[in-house]
Amino acid sequence: MEKPLNNKAWFLVLPVFVLVAFSALLPLMTVVNYAFQDTFGNNQFFWAGTDWFEKLLHSDRFGEALIRQVLFSGLILAIEVPLGIAVALCMPRKGLWVPVCLVLMALPLLIPWNVVGTIWQIFGRVDIGLLGHVLYSLGIDYNYTQDPLSAWITVVVMDVWHWTSLVALLCYAGLQSIPDAFYQAARIDGASRWSVFRHIQLPKMDRVLLIAVLLRFMDSFMIYTEPFVVTGGGPGNSTTFLSIDLVKLAIGQFDLGPAAAMSLIYFLIILLMSWVFYTVMTKQDEQDQNRKTGGGE
Amino acid sequence: MSSTSMPETGTPSETTLRTRGRGFPVKALVIVVYLVFLLLPIYWLLTMALKTNQEILSTFNLFPDNPTLANFTVILTDPAWYMGYVNSTIYVVLNTLISVTVALPAAYAFSRYRFMGDKHLFFWLLTNRMAPPAVFALPFFQLYSSIGLFDTSLAVALAHCLFNVPLAVWILEGFMGGVPREIDETAYIDGYSFPRFFTRIFMPLIAPGIGVAAFFCFMFSWVELLLARTLTSVDAKPISATMTRTVSASGLDWGVLAAAGILTIIPGALVIYFVRNYIAKGFALGRV
């Protein structure tokens, strides 16, 4: 059934529109303003054209932060998605342990991000942290405040700890929607473990998996608080991701022009990703709708 | 029988034997290992909160020698600490109320009607959920300073609407999609006006969705630090900011820091228990 066309529905959307316009459009226009102007204080601004963008795109600093960011997001996806699927497949499907598992697994998702940072800052310290101390006793050279590799491992493991449950919970929800009859049919057909996964479980998960992958990609792409608390972007610049660099530039050094230009480029990258996300998702919605109406009538 | 674990190859009787004998322990083991991985760092934080600073720095042990609640006492008696929790709670509740209230009618519009620019508007909302808060930190600071809201809970609550309103619209729209449209039509035929239909009939139908949306707004506002820290200085300083500033100032009092961390976990853990059956659906934006 088609949704009816009704332009009065705009009145229902109006409060959201006004509120989000206030908290998104106005600030964004300020950023655009700064990106094309230069200031020497006293609230006097001069037209700078695309200077900031050219400088930024040619600067090593931005390029390196971007590479680190892409590397980080890629690594996160490569670890969290398979791990999340595996955990979801191992979850009990019914019984007393289900709510226990769900609540325990969701726990890291509800911890304030700076506390997540604090937890790992303490946990990884060589002198007082369990992880750092054990690794040190084993003779492994691990120190996240001085060694870039250790810092990277700490930040990645922390993110895996923090967000794998999200992927697992989503996949689990997808798996739960599979009726038992499917498994029984597969068993009668003598389907292998792999083909059950490939032809029954994976298709049921693809929708939630898509949401999981894209949420994880985008949230890891704008990660700020956790690495900021643990490493502060260091040692050196080794864990300075885009957001951390941007905040350093904007609030630390108060370089409005470059910071604004960087914001816009950063935002454009995310916008592009959102567009892909949205297109894929609405396409799937439409397909589902067609399938439903096709089956019902 | 087949419901306790996934079936494997072979005849039914063989499968049962094999899942009981070999498959099941492996799965349980994976879950147990994963849960230990999740809980170990939290456990470590808890033991630190129960130790004195001296014990933390001088000895290394898995259990506190003399568990003490001194660190918690520090937090609960010092206004600089406990006001952080009060401030955080105020803006989180404020934000949840605003977000869900404005999102309800909008989600209904998106779920039931087509209208001019609906797809573009929805996409625009989505981009705000995806906007890096770092981009908005500085302009927010200037915007709220210029209208005199800087360092108030309302400023943080409004700023968090940036990502919570789109999220709430999404989740609610997903849940509303599950309510058949015939119900609306029947109600209108029965003579219900829109506001009456919406509050009396429709809202009770999607009550779980409203609960989940509220929960997610609560959660994302509770865990956010960057904007909350940028928009406050003294009066409305949230607990997360209190914690980071203590670290940078002294960097010494690990026990109190750990205790503050433990106290921030508790509200989330309590709330999660109530929505445990809907968590996954909420994360999937109501689209499972």
Side-chain angles (χ1 to χ4, degrees):
Chain A
M1 195 161 57
E2 255 314 82
K3 287 186 211 171
L5 184 74
N6 184 352
N7 275 325
K8 277 187 212 150
W10 255 101
F11 287 110
L12 297 175
V13 191
L14 205 61
V16 163
F17 183 78
V18 171
L19 191 65
V20 178
F22 176 74
S23 60
L25 270 192
L26 276 181
L28 200 61
M29 285 322 290
T30 328
V31 176
V32 173
N33 248 344
Y34 285 140
F36 293 99
Q37 296 187 80
D38 198 359
T39 176
F40 303 104
N42 295 334
N43 257 336
Q44 285 182 307
F45 287 92
F46 304 93
W47 177 251
T50 53
D51 268 14
W52 298 127
F53 292 94
E54 278 163 33
K55 272 189 195 141
L56 193 74
L57 289 175
H58 291 123
S59 77
D60 292 340
R61 180 175 163 175
F62 178 73
E64 282 166 15
L66 185 63
I67 290 171
R68 277 192 290 266
Q69 186 70 72
V70 171
L71 194 65
F72 178 74
S73 293
L75 214 55
I76 289 303
L77 285 180
I79 299 172
E80 288 182 9
V81 172
L83 189 63
I85 296 177
V87 169
L89 287 175
C90 291
M91 286 272 290
R93 293 182 65 215
K94 275 175 198 162
L96 202 66
W97 289 104
V98 174
V100 178
C101 284
L102 283 180
V103 171
L104 287 181
M105 275 167 55
L107 199 57
L109 302 172
L110 281 138
I111 300 175
W113 296 343
N114 69 307
V115 179
V116 171
T118 309
I119 288 175
W120 281 87
Q121 188 190 24
I122 293 175
F123 196 60
R125 272 180 74 106
V126 178
D127 52 348
I128 58 172
L130 186 62
L131 177 72
H133 196 82
V134 168
L135 287 178
Y136 185 74
S137 318
L138 291 173
I140 297 166
D141 190 20
Y142 169 88
N143 188 336
Y144 70 81
T145 53
Q146 278 154 27
D147 175 28
L149 186 66
S150 304
W152 260 85
I153 293 173
T154 313
V155 174
V156 169
V157 171
M158 173 174 67
D159 201 81
V160 169
W161 178 84
H162 192 181
W163 288 109
T164 303
S165 295
L166 170 68
V167 183
L169 286 174
L170 285 172
C171 292
Y172 181 69
L175 287 176
Q176 283 294 77
S177 65
I178 304 176
D180 273 348
F182 282 38
Y183 293 121
Q184 281 154 14
R187 207 166 48 186
I188 291 163
D189 290 349
S192 69
R193 186 76 192 80
W194 167 250
S195 46
V196 168
F197 175 71
R198 175 67 191 78
H199 296 291
I200 298 180
Q201 294 173 325
L202 202 58
K204 270 287 178 185
M205 280 194 292
D206 64 350
R207 191 183 170 79
V208 278
L209 212 51
L210 180 78
I211 295 177
V213 167
L214 288 152
L215 277 183
R216 272 325 294 136
F217 174 78
M218 277 174 275
D219 285 347
S220 67
F221 213 80
M222 44 195 193
I223 189 167
Y224 171 81
T225 313
E226 301 96 314
F228 175 75
V229 173
V230 176
T231 64
N237 271 334
S238 57
T239 52
T240 302
F241 302 120
L242 281 178
S243 275
I244 297 181
D245 206 24
L246 179 58
V247 174
K248 264 187 202 168
L249 205 60
I251 294 177
Q253 305 170 3
F254 232 72
D255 278 337
L256 296 183
M262 183 171 166
S263 298
L264 285 185
I265 294 175
Y266 191 8
F267 195 52
L268 280 180
I269 298 175
I270 303 241
L271 207 65
L272 196 71
M273 297 300 170
S274 311
W275 181 75
V276 174
F277 180 15
Y278 184 69
T279 328
V280 175
M281 211 166 87
T282 43
K283 224 181 205 166
Q284 262 206 341
D285 270 358
E286 272 163 28
Q287 275 173 1
D288 275 16
Q289 212 103 50
N290 291 343
R291 219 180 301 155
K292 261 183 211 160
T293 48
E297 278 151 357
Chain B
M1 209 185 283
S2 64
S3 59
T4 45
S5 57
M6 306 294 169
E8 293 182 58
T9 356
T11 60
S13 61
E14 213 180 342
T15 308
T16 329
L17 278 178
R18 273 169 61 185
T19 36
R20 286 268 164 79
R22 195 194 61 192
F24 186 64
V26 173
K27 282 179 177 176
L29 197 69
V30 172
I31 292 293
V32 168
V33 168
Y34 181 66
L35 288 180
V36 167
F37 167 63
L38 289 188
L39 294 180
L40 211 55
I42 300 178
Y43 167 75
W44 196 246
L45 191 73
L46 185 63
T47 58
M48 291 203 103
L50 296 173
K51 289 176 186 174
T52 61
N53 224 24
Q54 234 175 351
E55 192 184 342
I56 291 171
L57 292 172
S58 60
T59 54
F60 187 86
N61 44 8
L62 287 178
F63 309 98
D65 283 336
N66 313 300
T68 165
L69 289 176
N71 294 320
F72 291 97
T73 320
V74 170
I75 290 172
L76 294 177
T77 51
D78 182 357
W81 274 107
Y82 70 73
M83 278 316 285
Y85 288 98
V86 176
N87 292 332
S88 288
T89 315
I90 292 174
Y91 74 69
V92 167
V93 170
L94 215 55
N95 170 269
T96 308
L97 284 177
I98 299 174
S99 301
V100 175
T101 313
V102 298
L104 267 172
Y108 182 80
F110 281 120
S111 124
R112 291 299 195 251
Y113 300 114
R114 279 182 304 132
F115 48 91
M116 205 177 66
D118 54 351
K119 293 211 166 117
H120 298 284
L121 188 66
F122 203 70
F123 174 62
W124 177 61
L125 283 178
L126 186 115
T127 61
N128 291 312
R129 165 65 182 82
M130 301 308 168
V135 168
F136 288 96
L138 182 67
F140 269 167
F141 173 75
Q142 294 180 319
L143 178 67
Y144 289 108
S145 301
S146 68
I147 54 173
L149 279 177
F150 179 70
D151 203 14
T152 61
S153 298
L154 186 63
V156 185
L158 283 176
H160 283 178
C161 283
L162 174 71
F163 46 83
N164 271 348
V165 168
L167 189 76
V169 172
W170 255 357
I171 294 177
L172 288 172
E173 197 257 349
F175 274 89
M176 285 174 185
V179 178
R181 212 173 303 145
E182 286 77 7
I183 290 182
D184 308 24
E185 283 152 15
T186 320
Y188 293 139
I189 292 169
D190 285 351
Y192 275 86
S193 66
F194 175 72
R196 227 183 97 184
F197 156 72
F198 199 77
T199 49
R200 294 282 172 79
I201 296 179
F202 198 69
M203 277 171 60
L205 276 176
I206 53 153
I210 297 177
V212 170
F215 164 74
F216 274 88
C217 291
F218 178 91
M219 164 185 153
F220 279 108
S221 186
W222 180 253
V223 298
E224 208 275 339
L225 165 77
L226 179 57
L227 292 179
R229 195 185 55 168
T230 313
L231 290 176
T232 56
S233 61
V234 186
D235 294 337
K237 191 156 88 168
I239 181 61
S240 41
T242 318
M243 282 180 70
T244 52
R245 281 172 200 180
T246 312
V247 178
S248 54
S250 63
L252 283 172
D253 214 346
W254 295 106
V256 176
L257 187 69
I262 290 293
L263 287 178
T264 61
I265 299 177
I266 292 172
L270 283 180
V271 178
I272 206 168
Y273 180 77
F274 292 107
V275 290
R276 63 189 179 284
N277 295 327
Y278 296 100
I279 299 166
K281 202 172 177 202
F283 272 117
L285 308 168
R287 283 158 202 278
V288 177

